[in-house]
Amino acid sequence: MSTIDQQKPDPQKLAEDCAESMFARDRASQKLGMKIESVAPGKAILTMTVGPDMIQGHGSCHGGYLFTLADSAFAFACNSYDRATVASGCSIDYMSGAREGDLLTATAEERSRGGRTGIYDITLTNQDGRTVALFRGRSYEVRGTVRNSEDNS
């Protein structure tokens, strides 16, 4: 093994370190009770339970909370390479409502990554496996790293 290979970090460990570092600073996801279930290079799975304060006037979870869960999973997936990355655009399609007490799972998967951009698909499901929403995010790498946020401008 060459010296360069020995210095290259394990991709899984790097993804986990990035997630830990980001989550420690992510007060929004923490406040909403999100949990990182797993992370890997270009992938992330987050969960969140729908609380009573997330219910809108029609008795289901407000779409903004669904979007936020999907967006957080997107963020952890596209920042798993220790390259500070932000959303350049995203969209969501709501498939079915989520109810109070539902355990939602957001599964983010990288579809394309090249240069400074990437495309990620996020599927939101409930505890029964029913698809609640489909989210697509487009990412853009900015200056800096994830684990050392002081590098970012």
Side-chain angles (χ1 to χ4, degrees):
M1 197 189 270
S2 74
T3 305
I4 292 172
D5 290 336
Q6 291 173 351
Q7 293 175 357
K8 189 174 182 182
D10 171 57
Q12 179 61 36
K13 173 92 169 88
L14 181 63
E16 292 169 0
D17 289 350
C18 289
E20 182 180 328
S21 179
M22 261 183 59
F23 194 74
R25 299 185 304 266
D26 187 348
R27 294 183 302 210
S29 295
Q30 291 175 29
K31 179 76 173 167
L32 292 173
M34 292 182 200
K35 293 183 175 120
I36 300 172
E37 300 298 334
S38 69
V39 67
K43 298 179 182 181
I45 299 175
L46 273 66
T47 58
M48 177 182 79
T49 300
V50 177
D53 55 344
M54 298 177 178
I55 302 302
Q56 42 84 319
H58 294 292
S60 62
C61 183
H62 190 288
Y65 290 107
L66 301 176
F67 186 98
T68 302
L69 174 60
D71 187 49
S72 289
F74 167 45
F76 284 100
C78 68
N79 280 279
S80 61
Y81 301 100
D82 201 24
R83 310 261 319 164
T85 305
V86 297
S88 65
C90 45
S91 63
I92 192 166
D93 292 302
Y94 301 104
M95 312 303 285
S96 63
R99 303 285 176 209
E100 183 178 341
D102 280 356
L103 176 63
L104 302 178
T105 300
T107 302
E109 298 179 281
E110 184 178 272
R111 297 295 182 218
S112 169
R113 182 173 170 260
R116 296 177 78 172
T117 64
I119 296 175
Y120 294 77
D121 286 332
I122 297 83
T123 303
L124 263 64
T125 56
N126 71 2
Q127 66 279 356
D128 300 322
R130 181 172 37 102
T131 300
V132 174
L134 299 172
F135 177 107
R136 172 160 275 190
R138 294 179 309 283
S139 68
Y140 184 77
E141 284 184 16
V142 294
R143 185 174 304 154
T145 62
V146 174
R147 296 178 298 165
N148 187 3
S149 65
E150 293 81 38
D151 289 347
N152 303 340
S153 357

